[in-house]
Amino acid sequence: MDAVTRTPGPVNEPVKQYQPGSHERAVLESKIKELAGQRAELSMTIGGRQQMATGEVIDVVQPHNRTHVLGQLANATSVDVAAAIYAAKQAAPGWRALDFDDRAAIFLRAADLLAGPWRATLNAATILGQSKSPYQAEIDAACELIDFWRYNVHFARRLLSEQPESGPGVWNRMEYRPLEGFVLAITPFNFTSIAGNLPTAPALLGDVVVWKPSPTQQLAAHYIMRLLEAAGLPPGVINLVTGDGQAVSQVALTHPDLAGIHFTGSTGTFQHLWRTVGENIARYRNYPRLVGETGGKDFVIAHPSADRQSLAATLIRGAFEYQGQKCSAASRAYVPESVWKATRDDFLAQVDSLTMGDVASDLSLFMGAVIDARAFAKHAAAIDRARHTATINVLAGGSYDDTTGFFVRPTVLECTDPADEVFTTEYFGPILAVHVYPDDDPATYAAILAQAADVAPYALTGSVLATDRHAIAQATEALRYSAGNFYINDKPTGAIVGQQPFGGARASGTDDKAGSVLNLIRWVSARAIKELFVPPADYRYPHMG
């Protein structure tokens, strides 16, 4: 095609509110009942064919109603993973040969399908399988994934148009080639949008992908795959394998054609992946690209000048939305004594009033359940430890119950020791540690900033609450390397594609900023081409005369 096209200008997808009596709420309730009444066969998709894996069968349940089985998957075996890699390699030549516009059109169509007829399906699957409230599902499974697909096309076009200068008689140009081999996408349970973005971002640039979703997110992942097929994704471009990932580690991580890993999950898992790649570095045809967003111990630091009326809402939304299972969730807060005295009782009363339960049956609830039994046990142990630690007072919550679902009440821990585990260890649940510091001496604020900056190994998100501009500037500088996404007078969650590219460094990942050109550039291999129009006829230079 002899044309330099212009892709549609991206705009963030409007968020539906699902008020009682609204049309979108009625549609969503109907779809929830429909999916809950099925027992889905959560198959792999290899070379465009749906097939059950051949390993151990695993039930996928509702976290808030753990006896209700939504579907079944099976662990992929080494043979299954090898078949997925083979299918990807077979699809690679045809996918690379497609013009960028043709690849982009598939994902733009997927975005429009999700904005329209597929919206309720993906939101309902996320509510049922991941225990999200309607609003949390909407901003994730619908809006953010739509935004990823639209903005990725926009940023990819901008990347491809980046070209070098040319001097007289020379034409220099840059070609952005897909990576040789396949990209391994390993996606988490907590965001359907991340599960959709990690395999599709490399695919947009012409890469072929083996995708291993989290088993606890498999219901929504299943429908993402069906949506991509409906949008026209050719067979074999993205191959979905199911299960716990052991076979993926054994086969894909050691395969000579591993070209890259696109990962979101725990710090420990990402370090395992990196270590395995290092141990096998001599086996690969190219050095694999490693892109990961991992854990966080995200902070809110309030200055004495902070707006006291907004503190409770900031902490509640930042710490307890989606049961604190966002990578960016606030899990530690530092509050000056004067502000704490004025806001403490109201804040704790609001925390204790937060509604929790079966989010699929009651769409008005604020919170659902944590994702599974392992997460429940981790949070229960953390709360029990806090109750038996002299420097910690449990001010709100502190209870848990897995009788019907994996429910952990939103918990506030006041701790006098800012170096305690509750400020350094990622629990990934609805547990907020609060350290109250004296604010009669301005030097104390500087000391709090310095201590909070480095007490945890992570550097994902954080925020400062202040109206004093000097205090804001002081925090921004002191915390420069402590958060890849830094917020001023806002909660540390809710990054929007195209507005706040997301990612952190240190133990939080490679900071390749999902939802930006910085991420997409990792999935291409650039080739610089120089064409000389009139080659020299004499080897000698003027200085040789």
Side-chain angles (χ1 to χ4, degrees), residues 175-240:
E175 177 192 3
Y176 296 92
R177 304 168 295 181
L179 303 180
E180 283 190 287
F182 68 94
V183 172
L184 174 62
I186 302 176
T187 61
F189 78 84
N190 59 336
F191 277 94
T192 296
S193 56
I194 296 174
N197 181 54
L198 266 56
T200 57
L204 174 64
L205 275 305
D207 298 311
V208 290
V209 181
V210 174
W211 172 26
K212 209 294 290 181
S214 168
T216 46
Q217 193 267 332
Q218 190 65 53
L219 184 67
H222 176 81
Y223 287 108
I224 290 173
M225 199 69 221
R226 306 288 79 80
L227 169 56
L228 292 171
E229 290 168 348
L233 185 73
V237 173
I238 296 175
N239 301 276
L240 186 156

Side-chain angles (χ1 to χ4, degrees), residues 140-154:
D140 166 27
C143 296
E144 187 167 42
L145 185 49
I146 292 166
D147 289 349
F148 272 133
W149 285 338
R150 289 176 176 163
Y151 275 91
N152 280 350
V153 168
H154 170 74

Side-chain angles (χ1 to χ4, degrees), residues 311-329:
L311 180 66
T314 298
L315 293 179
I316 288 171
R317 286 186 171 184
F320 302 130
E321 284 182 342
Y322 189 43
Q323 297 81 264
Q325 295 175 128
K326 300 181 180 183
C327 309
S328 54

Side-chain angles (χ1 to χ4, degrees), residues 21-39:
S22 65
H23 173 69
E24 62 259 25
R25 187 178 180 121
V27 172
L28 180 61
E29 287 175 332
S30 176
K31 186 58 70 171
I32 288 172
K33 290 178 182 177
E34 177 189 336
L35 298 187
Q38 301 171 356
R39 182 170 288 206

